[in-house]
Amino acid sequence: MYSFSASKKAFLFLFGTGLFVALLCGNTHSADDGIQRLLLAYPDHLCGAEGNTILWCDGETMPYDDGKGPKTHRQKLEDADLQEQMEQIYPRGTDFPVPPTTDFEPGRIRNERFFKKMYGDSAERVRKNLAPVNWLPASGGKRLYMTTVNRVNEHLQAVSNELDQLPAPLKRFVDNPAGSFNWRVIARERRLSPHSFGIAVDINAASGDYWLWNSGTEREPRTYRNRVPIEIVWIFEKHGFIWGGKWYHFDTLHFEYRPELLLDAGKINPFDK
Ligand SMILES: [Zn+2]
């Protein structure tokens, strides 16, 4: 049993040390460190775990593995448990497969119940927690609405402040963002887009590429294409946002706050300034 209430710091220290040792052994993410990464990423909401059970701080529990056995990729997209949400390891930085290998898309598999509980289960409930991000104020400025839950708005503001320092040839990829909060289902799907929770932002559509555009199908997405410079991706990743440009079903406009997939080994909260 992990308890954050009485011995949070001791646990985090021990966990950090363990992860560091694991890193030295060349095994950053063991098969089952998904629970620990979730606890580290969302300490305001998740207060512990007992075996296969995640304990929310308000007393609610969720299974980590739903015990439904092996699922196809499509079944995972439609009905993921938390274990499946965590199992593909997001490749931070420049070392990622291009084009992405079939169905490799860490972060695209989401347990919807988890996100609804964290950020709100209706447009109205999510909207109550939204706050404006002052996007690229040195370059004209726009307002993007993101959730204050987990301080996602502050993390995106930090991204914006760094992007605003970039030279113009790079800034032109991000100076006209296509959207942020939007309660909607994903195109051709029944499940909610992460934009519904106020945790995602799309940068300029004119320089983005999406697997479904033109002749793409789910089995054969449109041929991988990316025009977004990696310098922009680095800045988002540094502040807890993963990039849809690393997915088999790619979406190079899309960035999404998913700290559980970006935690640095041994760091308690790498996204705090
Ligand atoms: Zn998006």
Side-chain angles (χ1 to χ4, degrees):
M1 160 100 191
Y2 310 120
S3 172
F4 274 9
S5 54
S7 57
K8 183 174 174 180
K9 283 186 179 165
F11 165 75
L12 290 173
F13 175 76
L14 288 171
F15 171 65
T17 306
L19 203 54
F20 181 64
V21 171
L23 179 67
L24 288 178
C25 297
N27 180 16
T28 318
H29 296 293
S30 64
D32 257 329
D33 74 355
I35 291 177
Q36 287 90 340
R37 284 187 285 132
L38 284 167
L39 296 181
L40 284 171
Y42 301 109
D44 294 347
H45 301 272
L46 305 180
C47 276
E50 205 171 307
N52 186 50
T53 303
I54 303 280
L55 309 174
W56 289 74
C57 299
D58 67 1
E60 189 172 328
T61 61
M62 280 184 189
Y64 181 65
D65 184 336
D66 63 13
K68 291 183 185 172
K71 297 176 194 172
T72 64
H73 189 65
R74 166 82 347 230
Q75 287 169 328
K76 289 177 186 177
L77 289 171
E78 288 173 355
D79 179 30
D81 61 20
L82 289 168
Q83 184 270 322
E84 288 146 358
Q85 179 174 309
M86 299 301 292
E87 72 185 348
Q88 290 190 345
I89 303 303
Y90 181 85
R92 187 175 185 159
T94 49
D95 189 14
F96 62 96
V98 177
T101 49
T102 303
D103 292 340
F104 180 73
E105 38 200 16
R108 194 161 173 262
I109 294 167
R110 307 176 191 88
N111 177 275
E112 194 164 288
R113 185 179 157 211
F114 178 84
F115 291 94
K116 280 182 168 173
K117 178 162 178 61
M118 186 87 76
Y119 296 108
D121 60 3
S122 69
E124 291 65 37
R125 289 203 179 93
V126 174
R127 203 174 275 123
K128 272 185 206 158
N129 294 317
L130 296 179
V133 171
N134 195 5
W135 188 252
L136 305 193
S139 319
K142 283 202 170 205
R143 284 187 166 229
L144 294 177
Y145 284 84
M146 302 288 279
T147 184
T148 58
V149 176
N150 295 321
R151 296 185 290 132
V152 177
N153 62 318
E154 293 178 30
H155 297 303
L156 190 67
Q157 188 66 63
V159 170
S160 167
N161 294 346
E162 288 199 35
L163 293 175
D164 223 359
Q165 310 298 317
L166 292 176
L170 287 174
K171 226 190 270 191
R172 72 179 179 82
F173 290 91
V174 293
D175 61 3
N176 188 23
S180 55
F181 167 70
N182 186 0
W183 185 272
R184 63 175 167 82
V185 294
I186 296 170
R188 298 193 188 179
E189 306 257 356
R190 275 174 300 180
R191 60 202 181 96
L192 284 167
S193 157
H195 288 275
S196 306
F197 304 116
I199 61 171
V201 60
D202 292 333
I203 59 172
N204 297 16
S207 48
D209 294 281
Y210 183 53
W211 68 272
L212 192 53
W213 286 346
N214 299 342
S215 57
T217 66
E218 178 160 358
R219 286 177 69 90
E220 287 186 60
R222 184 181 174 224
T223 304
Y224 181 80
R225 184 185 188 206
N226 171 49
R227 289 169 282 164
V228 177
I230 197 69
E231 288 88 342
I232 288 168
V233 178
W234 287 338
I235 291 172
F236 274 97
E237 289 182 349
K238 183 173 152 189
H239 295 286
F241 293 81
I242 61 166
W243 179 45
K246 294 182 177 179
W247 295 344
Y248 181 61
H249 294 91
F250 57 94
D251 183 355
T252 73
L253 294 74
H254 180 86
F255 292 90
E256 174 179 340
Y257 185 73
R258 298 291 297 283
E260 75 275 27
L261 299 173
L262 282 164
L263 284 172
D264 279 351
K267 289 190 182 173
I268 288 175
N269 189 347
F271 308 114
D272 274 343
K273 291 178 208 82

